[in-house]
Amino acid sequence: MAVICKLLKFTNRCESLKKSVLFNGNSSLRRYCTFVQEPRSKRFKGIVKFSLVGAALGTAVGVIYSTQKINKARDNLALEGTQVERKILLEKPPISASRSIISPVDSTNLDLTLYQYQSCPFCCKVRALLDYYGVSYDIVEVNPVFRTEAKWSSYKKVPILLAKVNGGYQPLNDSSMIISLLASYFYDSTNKIEELIKFYPSIALHDDKGKFQNEIVNKYFLMYQNSIPKEMTMNDIVEERKWRKWADDVLVHTLSPNAYRTLDESYRSFEKFSKVGNWEEYFPFWQRWVMINVGAVAMWWLGDRLRRKYQLKEDVRQSLYDEVTYWLRGIKARGGPFMGGQNPDLSDLSVYGILNSIEGLEAFNDTLANTKLSTWYYAMKEKVESHSGNHLINS
């Protein structure tokens, strides 16, 4: 309304000016004022036309956007609860391994390639399992910014474990499912990987926020088939599942806010990751520069948001100490050096892998100094690096 009033006042002033010009005989100004006054109806029609066109375009865009959202929602609704197909690759992606881990005690005859970030806690979980059981495998180090080495996969996360099977190569996604499937295979290797994966269907579901995602069913369950191991009770199995889930749902979320607590600490963490992951060997200089500098800033920015999201304490170190202490109390209640008793179970390997991802960082050193973690952690390190679980594999 205020704009319309201003336009009316401007038009009235032009009318007065025109009359003055007509008496003074100034033809140029007369033409100007005539131009201002005469097209008023035309300008009004133009404004109306422009408004109608804009409204029509806006309506069209809104209809198209709404239709796409509705169709997507319908597609998601149609897929709700359906099983996601896992296709076997006929050929292995033409990407050279960054390095090979050769175990002198490996008797599994498995052909495995792990696509990973070296310091990803979920990748460290899988490596801890493979190393503990003395399995040989190849590693492809994935660029965490560009993901060039994993473009072949529709799965946008790591780890991805590619296992050679009859008919090609079976991609295995989700660290907890990978651990459960491989542990089931180690218990009874007559069960083929391509058959075991059928017990871990990926189901299309909506999460708590209404977002569509794939959820792997049974990912904390081992497929013992005929009978459970003699040395394990049902209570042992339930406890192992409980602590594995706690590691994924609670412990792992304390890491990022601690590793990237300040911008300086975030830079030091990424420089450590570069050294541990041999980025200088695997990636060109410009990619390393992007990975360190962009990664450090991005994760520092994200770290504080993760602190709030997972309701960690203002002093995020204390949240990490608290969860580590909670874990150690659980081990003490079980009565052995490990959660699994005299030998590590899958929850020991999962927690060790998660904490191993920050070994050498300030957060890890502070945790050693402020908790009683060191005894269990270094006992686990010795078990993993000596492949002490290899004798537990049943061929």
Side-chain angles (χ1 to χ4, degrees), residues 36-67:
V36 171
Q37 183 188 32
E38 289 179 354
R40 183 165 60 180
S41 59
K42 293 183 180 180
R43 283 188 289 112
F44 178 75
K45 291 179 181 179
I47 291 172
V48 172
K49 184 178 180 180
F50 179 79
S51 299
L52 291 174
V53 171
L57 288 174
T59 302
V61 172
V63 169
I64 293 172
Y65 177 77
S66 300
T67 301

Short mmCIF file of all heavy atoms in Angstrom, two decimals, residues 36-67:
data_model
loop_
_atom_site.label_atom_id
_atom_site.label_comp_id
_atom_site.label_asym_id
_atom_site.label_seq_id
_atom_site.Cartn_x
_atom_site.Cartn_y
_atom_site.Cartn_z
N VAL A 36 5.43 9.98 -19.06
CA VAL A 36 5.19 9.52 -17.70
C VAL A 36 3.71 9.34 -17.44
O VAL A 36 3.29 8.40 -16.80
CB VAL A 36 5.80 10.51 -16.68
CG1 VAL A 36 5.38 10.16 -15.26
CG2 VAL A 36 7.32 10.51 -16.81
N GLN A 37 2.90 10.27 -17.97
CA GLN A 37 1.48 10.25 -17.66
C GLN A 37 0.71 9.27 -18.53
O GLN A 37 -0.06 8.46 -18.04
CB GLN A 37 0.89 11.64 -17.84
CG GLN A 37 -0.60 11.69 -17.44
CD GLN A 37 -1.21 13.00 -17.80
OE1 GLN A 37 -0.82 13.60 -18.78
NE2 GLN A 37 -2.16 13.44 -17.02
N GLU A 38 0.94 9.32 -19.85
CA GLU A 38 0.10 8.59 -20.76
C GLU A 38 0.18 7.07 -20.60
O GLU A 38 -0.86 6.40 -20.65
CB GLU A 38 0.43 8.98 -22.21
CG GLU A 38 -0.03 10.39 -22.55
CD GLU A 38 0.32 10.78 -23.96
OE1 GLU A 38 1.02 9.97 -24.63
OE2 GLU A 38 -0.10 11.85 -24.38
N PRO A 39 1.35 6.48 -20.36
CA PRO A 39 1.40 5.01 -20.29
C PRO A 39 0.97 4.47 -18.93
O PRO A 39 1.23 3.32 -18.64
CB PRO A 39 2.88 4.69 -20.54
CG PRO A 39 3.52 5.94 -20.97
CD PRO A 39 2.71 7.03 -20.38
N ARG A 40 0.35 5.31 -18.08
CA ARG A 40 0.02 4.83 -16.74
C ARG A 40 -0.84 3.59 -16.80
O ARG A 40 -0.61 2.61 -16.09
CB ARG A 40 -0.69 5.92 -15.95
CG ARG A 40 -0.99 5.51 -14.51
CD ARG A 40 -1.34 6.71 -13.68
NE ARG A 40 -2.54 7.38 -14.21
CZ ARG A 40 -3.07 8.46 -13.66
NH1 ARG A 40 -2.50 9.02 -12.62
NH2 ARG A 40 -4.15 9.01 -14.17
N SER A 41 -1.84 3.58 -17.67
CA SER A 41 -2.71 2.40 -17.79
C SER A 41 -1.94 1.22 -18.36
O SER A 41 -2.13 0.08 -17.95
CB SER A 41 -3.92 2.72 -18.68
OG SER A 41 -3.48 3.10 -19.97
N LYS A 42 -1.05 1.57 -19.34
CA LYS A 42 -0.24 0.49 -19.91
C LYS A 42 0.70 -0.11 -18.87
O LYS A 42 0.90 -1.31 -18.81
CB LYS A 42 0.57 1.02 -21.10
CG LYS A 42 -0.30 1.40 -22.29
CD LYS A 42 0.57 1.85 -23.45
CE LYS A 42 -0.28 2.22 -24.66
NZ LYS A 42 0.59 2.66 -25.77
N ARG A 43 1.31 0.83 -18.06
CA ARG A 43 2.23 0.33 -17.02
C ARG A 43 1.47 -0.52 -16.01
O ARG A 43 1.95 -1.53 -15.51
CB ARG A 43 2.92 1.50 -16.33
CG ARG A 43 4.03 2.09 -17.18
CD ARG A 43 4.84 3.12 -16.41
NE ARG A 43 4.09 4.35 -16.18
CZ ARG A 43 3.68 4.76 -14.99
NH1 ARG A 43 3.94 4.03 -13.92
NH2 ARG A 43 3.02 5.88 -14.85
N PHE A 44 0.26 -0.13 -15.68
CA PHE A 44 -0.55 -0.90 -14.73
C PHE A 44 -0.85 -2.28 -15.31
O PHE A 44 -0.74 -3.29 -14.63
CB PHE A 44 -1.84 -0.15 -14.43
CG PHE A 44 -2.75 -0.91 -13.49
CD1 PHE A 44 -2.47 -1.00 -12.14
CD2 PHE A 44 -3.87 -1.56 -13.99
CE1 PHE A 44 -3.31 -1.71 -11.29
CE2 PHE A 44 -4.70 -2.27 -13.15
CZ PHE A 44 -4.43 -2.35 -11.78
N LYS A 45 -1.22 -2.28 -16.61
CA LYS A 45 -1.48 -3.57 -17.25
C LYS A 45 -0.22 -4.43 -17.29
O LYS A 45 -0.27 -5.65 -17.13
CB LYS A 45 -2.00 -3.34 -18.68
CG LYS A 45 -3.39 -2.73 -18.73
CD LYS A 45 -3.82 -2.52 -20.17
CE LYS A 45 -5.22 -1.88 -20.24
NZ LYS A 45 -5.64 -1.65 -21.65
N GLY A 46 0.95 -3.77 -17.52
CA GLY A 46 2.21 -4.52 -17.55
C GLY A 46 2.52 -5.15 -16.21
O GLY A 46 2.99 -6.30 -16.13
N ILE A 47 2.25 -4.35 -15.16
CA ILE A 47 2.52 -4.87 -13.81
C ILE A 47 1.62 -6.06 -13.52
O ILE A 47 2.05 -7.09 -12.99
CB ILE A 47 2.31 -3.77 -12.76
CG1 ILE A 47 3.41 -2.70 -12.89
CG2 ILE A 47 2.33 -4.35 -11.35
CD1 ILE A 47 3.19 -1.48 -12.03
N VAL A 48 0.34 -5.90 -13.88
CA VAL A 48 -0.61 -7.01 -13.66
C VAL A 48 -0.19 -8.24 -14.45
O VAL A 48 -0.19 -9.36 -13.94
CB VAL A 48 -2.03 -6.58 -14.06
CG1 VAL A 48 -2.98 -7.77 -14.03
CG2 VAL A 48 -2.53 -5.48 -13.15
N LYS A 49 0.22 -8.01 -15.73
CA LYS A 49 0.64 -9.13 -16.58
C LYS A 49 1.87 -9.82 -16.00
O LYS A 49 1.94 -11.05 -15.93
CB LYS A 49 0.94 -8.61 -17.98
CG LYS A 49 1.30 -9.72 -18.97
CD LYS A 49 1.53 -9.14 -20.35
CE LYS A 49 1.90 -10.24 -21.34
NZ LYS A 49 2.14 -9.70 -22.70
N PHE A 50 2.84 -8.99 -15.56
CA PHE A 50 4.06 -9.54 -14.98
C PHE A 50 3.75 -10.34 -13.72
O PHE A 50 4.29 -11.43 -13.50
CB PHE A 50 5.04 -8.41 -14.66
CG PHE A 50 6.31 -8.87 -14.04
CD1 PHE A 50 7.33 -9.42 -14.81
CD2 PHE A 50 6.51 -8.78 -12.66
CE1 PHE A 50 8.51 -9.85 -14.24
CE2 PHE A 50 7.68 -9.21 -12.08
CZ PHE A 50 8.68 -9.75 -12.87
N SER A 51 2.82 -9.80 -12.90
CA SER A 51 2.46 -10.49 -11.67
C SER A 51 1.79 -11.82 -11.96
O SER A 51 2.05 -12.83 -11.31
CB SER A 51 1.52 -9.61 -10.83
OG SER A 51 2.15 -8.40 -10.48
N LEU A 52 0.89 -11.81 -12.98
CA LEU A 52 0.21 -13.05 -13.33
C LEU A 52 1.18 -14.10 -13.86
O LEU A 52 1.08 -15.29 -13.52
CB LEU A 52 -0.88 -12.77 -14.37
CG LEU A 52 -2.09 -11.96 -13.88
CD1 LEU A 52 -3.01 -11.62 -15.05
CD2 LEU A 52 -2.85 -12.73 -12.80
N VAL A 53 2.12 -13.65 -14.70
CA VAL A 53 3.12 -14.58 -15.23
C VAL A 53 3.98 -15.15 -14.10
O VAL A 53 4.25 -16.35 -14.03
CB VAL A 53 4.01 -13.88 -16.27
CG1 VAL A 53 5.19 -14.78 -16.66
CG2 VAL A 53 3.20 -13.53 -17.50
N GLY A 54 4.39 -14.25 -13.18
CA GLY A 54 5.19 -14.71 -12.04
C GLY A 54 4.44 -15.70 -11.18
O GLY A 54 4.98 -16.71 -10.73
N ALA A 55 3.15 -15.37 -10.95
CA ALA A 55 2.33 -16.28 -10.14
C ALA A 55 2.18 -17.63 -10.83
O ALA A 55 2.23 -18.69 -10.19
CB ALA A 55 0.96 -15.67 -9.88
N ALA A 56 1.99 -17.59 -12.16
CA ALA A 56 1.85 -18.84 -12.91
C ALA A 56 3.12 -19.67 -12.84
O ALA A 56 3.08 -20.88 -12.64
CB ALA A 56 1.49 -18.52 -14.36
N LEU A 57 4.27 -19.00 -13.03
CA LEU A 57 5.55 -19.71 -12.95
C LEU A 57 5.76 -20.28 -11.56
O LEU A 57 6.20 -21.43 -11.40
CB LEU A 57 6.70 -18.78 -13.32
CG LEU A 57 6.81 -18.40 -14.80
CD1 LEU A 57 7.89 -17.35 -15.01
CD2 LEU A 57 7.11 -19.64 -15.64
N GLY A 58 5.45 -19.46 -10.54
CA GLY A 58 5.62 -19.94 -9.16
C GLY A 58 4.73 -21.13 -8.87
O GLY A 58 5.16 -22.10 -8.23
N THR A 59 3.51 -21.05 -9.38
CA THR A 59 2.58 -22.17 -9.19
C THR A 59 3.09 -23.42 -9.88
O THR A 59 3.05 -24.53 -9.33
CB THR A 59 1.18 -21.81 -9.72
OG1 THR A 59 0.71 -20.65 -9.05
CG2 THR A 59 0.21 -22.97 -9.51
N ALA A 60 3.60 -23.24 -11.12
CA ALA A 60 4.12 -24.38 -11.87
C ALA A 60 5.28 -25.04 -11.15
O ALA A 60 5.36 -26.26 -11.03
CB ALA A 60 4.53 -23.94 -13.27
N VAL A 61 6.23 -24.19 -10.69
CA VAL A 61 7.38 -24.73 -9.95
C VAL A 61 6.93 -25.44 -8.69
O VAL A 61 7.41 -26.53 -8.36
CB VAL A 61 8.37 -23.59 -9.60
CG1 VAL A 61 9.46 -24.11 -8.66
CG2 VAL A 61 9.00 -23.03 -10.87
N GLY A 62 5.97 -24.82 -7.98
CA GLY A 62 5.46 -25.45 -6.75
C GLY A 62 4.80 -26.78 -7.02
O GLY A 62 4.99 -27.74 -6.27
N VAL A 63 4.02 -26.84 -8.13
CA VAL A 63 3.35 -28.10 -8.47
C VAL A 63 4.36 -29.18 -8.81
O VAL A 63 4.26 -30.33 -8.37
CB VAL A 63 2.37 -27.88 -9.66
CG1 VAL A 63 1.88 -29.22 -10.21
CG2 VAL A 63 1.20 -27.02 -9.21
N ILE A 64 5.39 -28.80 -9.62
CA ILE A 64 6.42 -29.77 -10.00
C ILE A 64 7.17 -30.27 -8.77
O ILE A 64 7.39 -31.48 -8.59
CB ILE A 64 7.41 -29.14 -11.00
CG1 ILE A 64 6.68 -28.85 -12.33
CG2 ILE A 64 8.60 -30.06 -11.24
CD1 ILE A 64 7.51 -28.05 -13.31
N TYR A 65 7.56 -29.33 -7.89
CA TYR A 65 8.29 -29.71 -6.67
C TYR A 65 7.44 -30.61 -5.78
O TYR A 65 7.89 -31.65 -5.30
CB TYR A 65 8.71 -28.46 -5.90
CG TYR A 65 9.41 -28.74 -4.59
CD1 TYR A 65 10.73 -29.14 -4.55
CD2 TYR A 65 8.72 -28.61 -3.38
CE1 TYR A 65 11.37 -29.41 -3.36
CE2 TYR A 65 9.34 -28.87 -2.18
CZ TYR A 65 10.68 -29.27 -2.17
OH TYR A 65 11.29 -29.54 -0.98
N SER A 66 6.18 -30.21 -5.60
CA SER A 66 5.28 -30.99 -4.75
C SER A 66 5.06 -32.38 -5.34
O SER A 66 5.02 -33.38 -4.62
CB SER A 66 3.95 -30.28 -4.58
OG SER A 66 4.12 -29.01 -3.97
N THR A 67 4.90 -32.42 -6.66
CA THR A 67 4.69 -33.71 -7.32
C THR A 67 5.88 -34.63 -7.12
O THR A 67 5.73 -35.82 -6.83
CB THR A 67 4.43 -33.51 -8.82
OG1 THR A 67 3.28 -32.66 -8.99
CG2 THR A 67 4.19 -34.84 -9.51
#
